[in-house]
Amino acid sequence: MSNLTQSDRASDPKRDFLRHALATVAYRGGKVVRNAPTGFADFGTGEGVRTPGQILAHVGDLFDWALSIAMGQQKWHDSKPLSWEKEVERFFCALKKFDDFLGSTEPVQAPLEKLFQGPVADALTHVGQIAILRRIAGAPVKGESYFVADIATGRVGADQASPKREF
């Protein structure tokens, strides 16, 4: 929770950093969900391992949960996976709702560090899992120097900058 006045809240460096982390999830997540092969959502690697569609649904749940925590009304929901296209849409929509809230002057009802260490860091882990599953499924995503990537706070939709240095 922040001790800043409402007029200062829009320039809270912790909030800005968390919003940049969300833009990073959108950039990296967009890269792994874009141009997935037909049937990838249901690609399975074994008993007890989530499919890419189940993982992406979980990521949408994480950002819905993060927003509920930030608003002081913590609520978790396990969603059944939708089609790949609908889950991709939901992923970006949930990110945008959370980012819009963080970009507002509304008070955040939880420590920003906890929001990062919980739902945001978990989402980054799951984006990595989807990347690994793409490789196993024979549809790898190119590596990239993310340090030089054009990631901008507030850019959390499907429309992301082109990679600057892939390998």
Side-chain angles (χ1 to χ4, degrees), residues 124-144:
L124 282 167
T125 297
H126 293 309
V127 165
Q129 290 172 328
I130 294 171
I132 290 169
L133 290 170
R134 290 265 319 239
R135 182 167 296 279
I136 294 168
V141 175
K142 284 187 173 185
E144 179 176 348

Side-chain angles (χ1 to χ4, degrees), residues 82-125:
L82 305 169
S83 71
W84 184 255
E85 295 77 20
K86 291 288 185 188
E87 283 301 340
V88 169
E89 185 179 314
R90 180 173 173 244
F91 165 69
F92 289 115
C93 182
L95 263 173
K96 181 165 177 22
K97 285 179 184 176
F98 186 38
D99 184 68
D100 285 350
F101 180 82
L102 291 174
S104 77
T105 58
E106 291 296 318
V108 178
Q109 302 298 317
L112 296 169
E113 296 86 352
K114 295 284 189 179
L115 288 167
F116 177 79
Q117 79 184 35
V120 177
D122 198 25
L124 282 167
T125 297

Side-chain angles (χ1 to χ4, degrees), residues 6-81:
Q6 191 165 14
S7 62
D8 292 335
R9 205 171 276 118
S11 64
D12 179 350
K14 286 183 180 182
R15 249 173 127 137
D16 292 342
F17 187 81
L18 187 57
R19 291 188 68 213
H20 188 78
L22 296 182
T24 301
V25 172
Y27 183 88
R28 288 177 171 235
K31 191 165 181 163
V32 301
V33 300
R34 205 171 15 260
N35 302 318
T38 303
F40 179 65
D42 299 317
F43 178 73
T45 59
E47 184 71 31
V49 179
R50 289 180 179 155
T51 66
Q54 290 169 326
I55 294 170
L56 194 54
H58 177 67
V59 172
D61 291 341
L62 285 170
F63 286 114
D64 289 344
W65 179 54
L67 178 59
S68 76
I69 294 169
M71 296 174 77
Q73 304 163 0
Q74 185 173 177
K75 182 179 177 184
W76 177 258
H77 178 73
D78 278 316
S79 298
K80 291 184 180 180

